[in-house]
């Protein structure tokens, strides 16, 4: 009876705090505090991704498809972080247990490690380790609510090119870079539960001295990458999500100077 609470405490470093409005309750991750389009609750939940009581990024999570729509985060300079964390899941998506646990909680509304086992897909991180601002932040990315089934060859191929291109492009930033990385649901599922995205996409916006710069890229979950400026990417996503308009950033970022994510070497 004594050990259980202690164990939960030991495991309680990472969690996703359910918020009603992450613009107000998980701020700091959006340029000019304007988040991307938020799809409506209760199917879509706004999560503030927290480790040891520090907010690290924001995620809009689709509880039906059991994958995120996007994670929004800020890059402030490259740090050599290690991929050494366990995978976390968040009991908040179902219960009122305040702390995270590794397994054994209700999973009706979120993916679990088991869903990915022998699925032929890997857990593709949206907010990536490569752009984490600290080891804590890197650890905080290892949550199932920040991941979606990704084709292994895309993960180690084209998407890796995107992550390193992003790392390179953002080295031009003279202030914090605001980044949104997301997926578009596809037609396939793994374990009859978790949607396999048709596309992965990412976009950034930052100050380069007196200029604001931005850009993005979208790729089929195996196929080619399509670089795009922010408004182009918004148009693609508007069509793919089938919504009125899908916005990534405030208008300053939409109208910023286009600097491609995949620069020439
Ligand atoms: C990111 O860029 C830095 C230099 O700014 C480099 O040292 C590092 O190896 C790069 N990391 C990745 C994952 O590409």
């Amino acid at each position: 009876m004594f050990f259980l609470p202690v164990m939960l405490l030991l495991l309680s470093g990472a969690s996703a705090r359910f918020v009603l409005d992450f613009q107000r309750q998980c701020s700091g991750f959006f340029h000019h505090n304007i988040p991307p389009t938020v799809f409506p609750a209760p199917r879509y939940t706004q999560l503030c991704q927290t480790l040891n009581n520090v907010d690290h990024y924001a995620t809009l999570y689709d509880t039906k498809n059991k994958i995120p729509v996007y994670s929004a985060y800020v890059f402030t300079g490259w740090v050599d972080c290690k991929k050494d964390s366990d995978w976390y899941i968040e009991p908040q998506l179902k219960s009122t247990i305040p702390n995270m646990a590794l397994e054994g909680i209700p999973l009706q509304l979120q993916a679990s490690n088991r869903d990915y086992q022998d699925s032929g897909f890997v857990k593709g991180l949206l907010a990536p380790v490569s752009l984490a601002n600290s080891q804590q932040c890197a650890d905080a990315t290892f949550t199932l609510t920040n991941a979606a089934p990704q084709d292994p060859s895309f993960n180690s191929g084209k998407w890796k090119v995107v992550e390193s291109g992003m790392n390179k492009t953002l080295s031009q930033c003279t202030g914090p870079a605001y980044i949104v990385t997301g997926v578009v649901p596809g037609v396939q599922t793994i374990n009859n539960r978790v949607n396999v995205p048709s596309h992965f996409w990412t976009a950034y916006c930052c100050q380069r001295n007196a200029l604001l710069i931005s850009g993005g890229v979208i790729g089929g979950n195996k196929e080619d990458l399509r670089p795009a400026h922010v408004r182009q990417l918004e148009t693609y996503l508007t069509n793919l999500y089938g919504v009125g308009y899908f916005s990534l950033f405030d208008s300053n970022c939409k109208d910023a100077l286009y600097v491609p994510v995949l620069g020439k070497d």
Side-chain angles (χ1 to χ4, degrees):
M1 286 303 105
F2 172 72
F3 289 101
L4 188 60
V6 172
M7 293 260 306
L8 285 175
L9 262 179
L10 286 175
L11 296 172
S12 73
S15 71
R17 191 171 79 247
F18 239 147
V19 293
L20 286 176
D21 176 2
F22 54 29
Q23 182 175 13
R24 286 177 51 214
Q25 297 166 281
C26 189
S27 61
F29 303 112
F30 315 110
H31 189 258
H32 285 185
N33 199 24
I34 307 289
T37 298
V38 174
F39 299 147
R43 170 170 170 182
Y44 298 96
T45 62
Q46 298 175 51
L47 302 174
C48 199
Q49 305 277 15
T50 304
L51 184 64
N52 296 335
N53 302 317
V54 177
D55 296 349
H56 286 287
Y57 56 100
T59 297
L60 182 67
Y61 192 73
D62 176 348
T63 58
K64 181 161 179 265
N65 285 322
K66 300 176 186 68
I67 50 174
V69 180
Y70 55 76
S71 289
Y73 49 102
V74 178
F75 174 76
T76 54
W78 190 70
V79 178
D80 189 8
C81 295
K82 294 181 179 40
K83 307 188 180 194
D84 63 357
S85 181
D86 288 314
W87 282 89
Y88 299 122
I89 46 179
E90 286 81 19
Q92 286 88 342
L93 285 186
K94 180 65 188 173
S95 69
T96 53
I97 303 167
N99 296 320
M100 62 73 57
L102 294 177
E103 281 293 352
I105 56 157
L107 295 171
Q108 291 93 325
L109 300 177
Q110 66 189 303
S112 74
N113 284 312
R114 223 168 300 128
D115 292 318
Y116 283 84
Q117 258 166 33
D118 307 317
S119 69
F121 288 88
V122 297
K123 293 166 209 152
L125 288 185
L126 273 57
V129 171
S130 59
L131 297 179
N133 297 321
S134 64
Q135 187 60 49
Q136 285 245 325
C137 180
D139 291 346
T141 64
F142 282 89
T143 166
L144 271 294
T145 52
N146 181 46
Q150 197 171 45
D151 184 276
S153 67
F154 185 71
N155 175 272
S156 61
K158 299 234 163 72
W159 196 248
K160 201 162 213 159
V161 171
V162 169
E163 287 190 354
S164 64
M166 197 64 134
N167 182 41
K168 212 170 198 173
T169 302
L170 299 186
S171 64
Q172 300 175 44
C173 300
T174 51
Y178 294 83
I179 308 157
V180 191
T181 304
V183 299
V184 177
V187 291
Q188 202 186 334
T189 58
I190 56 172
N191 201 19
N192 274 322
R193 274 171 39 87
V194 179
N195 188 281
V196 177
S198 61
H199 296 80
F200 281 72
W201 54 264
T202 190
Y204 78 92
C205 176
C206 75
Q207 205 74 39
R208 189 178 73 188
N209 300 313
L211 270 181
L212 200 60
I213 63 171
S214 68
V217 61
I218 182 166
N221 193 357
K222 203 168 183 164
E223 288 144 41
D224 281 346
L225 300 172
R226 193 158 14 155
H229 62 67
V230 167
R231 283 192 196 276
Q232 268 172 336
L233 183 56
E234 287 180 339
T235 303
Y236 297 152
L237 294 175
T238 296
N239 291 328
L240 289 166
Y241 288 125
V243 294
Y245 192 78
F246 189 81
S247 175
L248 288 163
F249 294 114
D250 66 296
S251 57
N252 294 290
C253 288
K254 296 184 210 282
D255 296 329
L257 177 72
Y258 174 48
V259 175
V261 171
L262 309 172
K264 292 181 184 66
D265 281 313

